[in-house]
Amino acid sequence: MKKFERLDGLVAPLDRANVDTDLIIPKQFLKSIKRTGFGVNLFDELRYLDEGQPDQDVSNRPLNTDFILNQPRYQGASVLLARRNFGCGSSREHAPWALEDFGFRAVIAPSFADIFYNNAFKNGILLIKLSEEQVDRLFAEVEASPGYCLSIDLEAQQVVTPSGEALSFDVDEFRKHCLLEGLDDIGITLQSEDAIREFEARHRAARPWLFRDVTEA
Amino acid sequence: MSGQTLYDKLWSQHLVKDRGDGTALIYIDRHLLHEVTSPQAFAGLRLAKRQPWRLDANLATPDHNVPTTVKERAEGNAGIKDPISLIQVQTLDDNCDEFGIEEFRINDLRQGIVHVVGPEQGATLPGMTVVCGDSHTATHGAFASIAHGIGTSEVEHVLATQCLLAQKMGNMQVRVEGKLGRGVTAKDVVLAIIGRIGTAGGTGYAIEFAGSAIRDLSMEGRMTVCNMAIEAGARVGLIAVDDTTINYLKGRPFAPAGELWEAAVADWRELVSDDDATFDKVVTLDAAEIEPQVSWGTSPEMVTGVSGAVPDPDAQTDDTLQRGYSRALEYMGLKPNQKITDIRLDKVFIGSCTNSRIEDLREAAEVARGKKVATSVALAMVVPGSGLVKRQAEAEGLDQIFTQAGFEWREPGCSMCLAMNADKLGAGEHCASTSNRNFEGRQGYGGRTHLVSPAMAAAAAIAGHFVDVRTLDTTTAHQEA
Ligand code: SF4
């Protein structure tokens, strides 16, 4: 996983609540058995005017020029600003894979859906919850000033606006640590291998029917 | 000290280690796998040269990409015409072979939608933690288990460590008290709940469904309710153990037998919230007020009773809601204040992990018996949730009722619930669907989904537009205890 320390990034505003994972990456692209290459199909149904197919060359597809990610002023954006309940719907990790592959490293919204929240952090994407009022204000500022960038400092847990205003955000210790260090969860968990084995032995003794080698014996 | 909730009890029974930083290591008893969210996890294992921690905890089946026509299915994997889908199903087979994981393959009688298969086999038991790379894993919570969807990185994590790094959720209780009216089903109950609390109403919580109307539901009805907990934002939905739970499980292939069964039952009886347990949030609904539900928009919270109408966005006071409603109506091609019963249907889909079990099919067949699908409906299809459900339905003659009425009778799989196989809506088509998501494009590019119960879907197929099943004289109440 990529480390996340600081980010000075151009902000793209997606003015929409309840952005679901079907919208972030439609199901036909879930057929891939790889975890890369989803960026060109991020928000496929909003971005293109036709129906996309997996493994298709997107360079000739008709673009929806109204969509923010197709507007010249938002090219190269790495911070996505959105409305509440971002990432609701399915558990597809293809959603953060697509965001990351496209170049987003942070998403700012008033709230996020639970599974998406987990998935994003596991892929080096920082999710920042700000209040509805703060998000409202950022939308107004982004739309009013082309080239609007935010400076995000994970260590200090702050988003700094171009005018120098600092907005603090919460992030739990563990996720912050993993992101700052670029740590992989499996490696961390396997450091507790003995604890898992001990637990498993007790669990098996207390509730043997949970183990199929017991029920089938 | 106040008592424990069911969720608290299950959590502490699986707590391997509190890490002291807000996260905990939780032991996982059952891991279900399907072809879409597992290939990258197996690739990760291989890359790190890791082996699955415990093989017998895993069970796999392909469901999302499998074709549902008899002709294609007869050919097994070779019947999957889309080469990319084929690779995905083949990859699951290969991975299960390589790592030694039990899999019900494409034409195994036990194959089906993973959330139908688990309970049907008794692979989901009370007191378990159950995970799957699929958000509708919440279904299994109907058996008093902590069951939730995980992402692909977590699939790999569970394979490698038998644990998850998790955070304890809050406790929420949704009580549905009283008796459901005739023709009102578990699907209507859960849609009404989502309509009330919204798609983020349960975010951060495990929702325990309780109250007399929930206890009166069959296990299948309870699964329908828990299945859609995720549509209310809650990863986990759960229901306490009672006789209904225990009677359902007895004799299932993966369930314990003999003395072990007796010991298990004694343990399972404890899986209820204590009388003095406190919940962080409680919502109560009156069962008698719930009518058959129909979703009109592009989020499951955009739902209303069948006697209602499409709302007027301009009447909404919240700005974000107003814009959301306007966009939804535009996408759905509906007008403000249009009556729900005036919405005409192009297709009807009865299936999905929400409503493809035998009771769902019986409910729909009862409405369809001796009737004909309206000529204006281009396709009405019934897709059983598993090979075993299909066989049972055929033994009862339900397939005949459906085909005589003009429905297509298909092979088991996810099918048009998310349209990863060939079953999909065309742009602009309205579909009465017993599935769980009405997101834009979910059932096909530009497709317009209306979420309903199986009886309502069957009635809509026959009328060509929505009708209140309570006004049809063929229907009876379907709330078997
Ligand atoms: S039936 Fe639909 S919701 Fe259920 S697992 Fe399949 S695709 Fe997901």
PDB file of all heavy atoms in Angstrom, chain B residues 303-316:
ATOM      1  N   VAL B 303     -39.119   5.154  -1.533  1.00  0.00           N
ATOM      2  CA  VAL B 303     -40.086   4.074  -1.557  1.00  0.00           C
ATOM      3  C   VAL B 303     -41.375   4.567  -0.924  1.00  0.00           C
ATOM      4  O   VAL B 303     -41.373   5.482  -0.093  1.00  0.00           O
ATOM      5  CB  VAL B 303     -39.495   2.854  -0.789  1.00  0.00           C
ATOM      6  CG1 VAL B 303     -39.329   3.129   0.696  1.00  0.00           C
ATOM      7  CG2 VAL B 303     -40.300   1.590  -1.005  1.00  0.00           C
ATOM      8  N   THR B 304     -42.496   3.972  -1.323  1.00  0.00           N
ATOM      9  CA  THR B 304     -43.775   4.375  -0.749  1.00  0.00           C
ATOM     10  C   THR B 304     -44.753   3.209  -0.809  1.00  0.00           C
ATOM     11  O   THR B 304     -44.489   2.211  -1.462  1.00  0.00           O
ATOM     12  CB  THR B 304     -44.326   5.619  -1.496  1.00  0.00           C
ATOM     13  OG1 THR B 304     -45.504   6.066  -0.817  1.00  0.00           O
ATOM     14  CG2 THR B 304     -44.680   5.306  -2.929  1.00  0.00           C
ATOM     15  N   GLY B 305     -45.875   3.342  -0.135  1.00  0.00           N
ATOM     16  CA  GLY B 305     -46.897   2.308  -0.192  1.00  0.00           C
ATOM     17  C   GLY B 305     -47.554   2.298  -1.564  1.00  0.00           C
ATOM     18  O   GLY B 305     -47.569   3.310  -2.266  1.00  0.00           O
ATOM     19  N   VAL B 306     -48.118   1.148  -1.934  1.00  0.00           N
ATOM     20  CA  VAL B 306     -48.699   1.009  -3.276  1.00  0.00           C
ATOM     21  C   VAL B 306     -49.865   1.960  -3.495  1.00  0.00           C
ATOM     22  O   VAL B 306     -50.177   2.328  -4.628  1.00  0.00           O
ATOM     23  CB  VAL B 306     -49.088  -0.470  -3.543  1.00  0.00           C
ATOM     24  CG1 VAL B 306     -50.173  -0.938  -2.577  1.00  0.00           C
ATOM     25  CG2 VAL B 306     -49.512  -0.677  -4.989  1.00  0.00           C
ATOM     26  N   SER B 307     -50.511   2.396  -2.442  1.00  0.00           N
ATOM     27  CA  SER B 307     -51.632   3.326  -2.618  1.00  0.00           C
ATOM     28  C   SER B 307     -51.144   4.766  -2.758  1.00  0.00           C
ATOM     29  O   SER B 307     -51.932   5.672  -2.986  1.00  0.00           O
ATOM     30  CB  SER B 307     -52.580   3.230  -1.420  1.00  0.00           C
ATOM     31  OG  SER B 307     -51.911   3.683  -0.263  1.00  0.00           O
ATOM     32  N   GLY B 308     -49.824   4.953  -2.642  1.00  0.00           N
ATOM     33  CA  GLY B 308     -49.278   6.307  -2.665  1.00  0.00           C
ATOM     34  C   GLY B 308     -48.947   6.802  -4.068  1.00  0.00           C
ATOM     35  O   GLY B 308     -49.367   6.223  -5.072  1.00  0.00           O
ATOM     36  N   ALA B 309     -48.194   7.898  -4.095  1.00  0.00           N
ATOM     37  CA  ALA B 309     -47.832   8.514  -5.367  1.00  0.00           C
ATOM     38  C   ALA B 309     -46.354   8.908  -5.328  1.00  0.00           C
ATOM     39  O   ALA B 309     -45.741   8.950  -4.273  1.00  0.00           O
ATOM     40  CB  ALA B 309     -48.691   9.751  -5.588  1.00  0.00           C
ATOM     41  N   VAL B 310     -45.829   9.191  -6.499  1.00  0.00           N
ATOM     42  CA  VAL B 310     -44.457   9.673  -6.615  1.00  0.00           C
ATOM     43  C   VAL B 310     -44.403  11.060  -5.958  1.00  0.00           C
ATOM     44  O   VAL B 310     -45.281  11.889  -6.215  1.00  0.00           O
ATOM     45  CB  VAL B 310     -44.074   9.771  -8.112  1.00  0.00           C
ATOM     46  CG1 VAL B 310     -42.704  10.394  -8.289  1.00  0.00           C
ATOM     47  CG2 VAL B 310     -44.152   8.397  -8.768  1.00  0.00           C
ATOM     48  N   PRO B 311     -43.418  11.336  -5.108  1.00  0.00           N
ATOM     49  CA  PRO B 311     -43.406  12.631  -4.431  1.00  0.00           C
ATOM     50  C   PRO B 311     -43.031  13.776  -5.364  1.00  0.00           C
ATOM     51  O   PRO B 311     -42.475  13.560  -6.439  1.00  0.00           O
ATOM     52  CB  PRO B 311     -42.340  12.454  -3.350  1.00  0.00           C
ATOM     53  CG  PRO B 311     -41.463  11.391  -3.859  1.00  0.00           C
ATOM     54  CD  PRO B 311     -42.305  10.483  -4.696  1.00  0.00           C
ATOM     55  N   ASP B 312     -43.325  14.964  -4.912  1.00  0.00           N
ATOM     56  CA  ASP B 312     -42.995  16.159  -5.661  1.00  0.00           C
ATOM     57  C   ASP B 312     -41.687  16.729  -5.092  1.00  0.00           C
ATOM     58  O   ASP B 312     -41.652  17.134  -3.940  1.00  0.00           O
ATOM     59  CB  ASP B 312     -44.132  17.169  -5.494  1.00  0.00           C
ATOM     60  CG  ASP B 312     -43.893  18.425  -6.322  1.00  0.00           C
ATOM     61  OD1 ASP B 312     -42.774  18.569  -6.878  1.00  0.00           O
ATOM     62  OD2 ASP B 312     -44.818  19.253  -6.404  1.00  0.00           O
ATOM     63  N   PRO B 313     -40.629  16.759  -5.900  1.00  0.00           N
ATOM     64  CA  PRO B 313     -39.347  17.264  -5.375  1.00  0.00           C
ATOM     65  C   PRO B 313     -39.480  18.669  -4.792  1.00  0.00           C
ATOM     66  O   PRO B 313     -38.869  18.985  -3.778  1.00  0.00           O
ATOM     67  CB  PRO B 313     -38.433  17.272  -6.606  1.00  0.00           C
ATOM     68  CG  PRO B 313     -39.030  16.297  -7.550  1.00  0.00           C
ATOM     69  CD  PRO B 313     -40.516  16.308  -7.298  1.00  0.00           C
ATOM     70  N   ASP B 314     -40.308  19.483  -5.420  1.00  0.00           N
ATOM     71  CA  ASP B 314     -40.444  20.870  -4.965  1.00  0.00           C
ATOM     72  C   ASP B 314     -41.046  20.974  -3.568  1.00  0.00           C
ATOM     73  O   ASP B 314     -40.926  21.998  -2.908  1.00  0.00           O
ATOM     74  CB  ASP B 314     -41.290  21.681  -5.947  1.00  0.00           C
ATOM     75  CG  ASP B 314     -40.548  21.873  -7.265  1.00  0.00           C
ATOM     76  OD1 ASP B 314     -39.303  21.705  -7.246  1.00  0.00           O
ATOM     77  OD2 ASP B 314     -41.192  22.160  -8.280  1.00  0.00           O
ATOM     78  N   ALA B 315     -41.686  19.881  -3.125  1.00  0.00           N
ATOM     79  CA  ALA B 315     -42.284  19.914  -1.789  1.00  0.00           C
ATOM     80  C   ALA B 315     -41.262  19.565  -0.702  1.00  0.00           C
ATOM     81  O   ALA B 315     -41.572  19.605   0.486  1.00  0.00           O
ATOM     82  CB  ALA B 315     -43.469  18.962  -1.732  1.00  0.00           C
ATOM     83  N   GLN B 316     -40.025  19.228  -1.117  1.00  0.00           N
ATOM     84  CA  GLN B 316     -39.001  18.858  -0.128  1.00  0.00           C
ATOM     85  C   GLN B 316     -38.311  20.115   0.395  1.00  0.00           C
ATOM     86  O   GLN B 316     -37.983  21.006  -0.378  1.00  0.00           O
ATOM     87  CB  GLN B 316     -37.947  17.926  -0.752  1.00  0.00           C
ATOM     88  CG  GLN B 316     -38.512  16.721  -1.474  1.00  0.00           C
ATOM     89  CD  GLN B 316     -39.459  15.912  -0.599  1.00  0.00           C
ATOM     90  OE1 GLN B 316     -39.144  15.622   0.561  1.00  0.00           O
ATOM     91  NE2 GLN B 316     -40.621  15.571  -1.127  1.00  0.00           N
TER      92      GLN B 316
END
